[in-house]
């Protein structure tokens, strides 16, 4: 059977990858919240125009 000799390298690479994914998720969330807020504002203004 094959024995992994560099488990520390594999482990640190995995952890670094998870950290990068979490950072990317946070960045995406901040940008998505901008678009959700923008969509809400536009909907309110359109609603106000249609009622007015």
């Amino acid at each position: 059977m094959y024995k992994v000799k560099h488990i520390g390298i594999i482990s640190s690479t995995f952890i670094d990858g998870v950290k990068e994914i979490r950072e990317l998720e946070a960045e995406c969330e901040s940008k998505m919240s901008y678009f959700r807020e923008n969509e809400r504002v536009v909907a309110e203004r359109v609603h106000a125009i249609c009622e007015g």
Side-chain angles (χ1 to χ4, degrees):
M1 185 183 296
Y2 179 74
K3 184 175 179 181
V4 177
K5 295 181 181 180
H6 301 290
I7 194 71
I9 294 171
I10 294 169
S11 176
S12 65
T13 300
F14 177 78
I15 291 170
D16 290 345
V18 169
K19 286 178 184 176
E20 285 185 41
I21 290 169
R22 297 292 181 247
E23 290 170 1
L24 184 60
E25 287 175 338
E27 183 180 341
C28 287
E29 180 56 35
S30 70
K31 291 179 179 172
M32 288 303 297
S33 66
Y34 167 79
F35 287 108
R36 283 191 294 267
E37 177 64 18
N38 190 42
E39 183 179 28
R40 184 188 63 76
V41 169
V42 169
E44 287 175 359
R45 291 183 182 165
V46 167
H47 184 68
I49 291 170
C50 289
E51 283 185 346

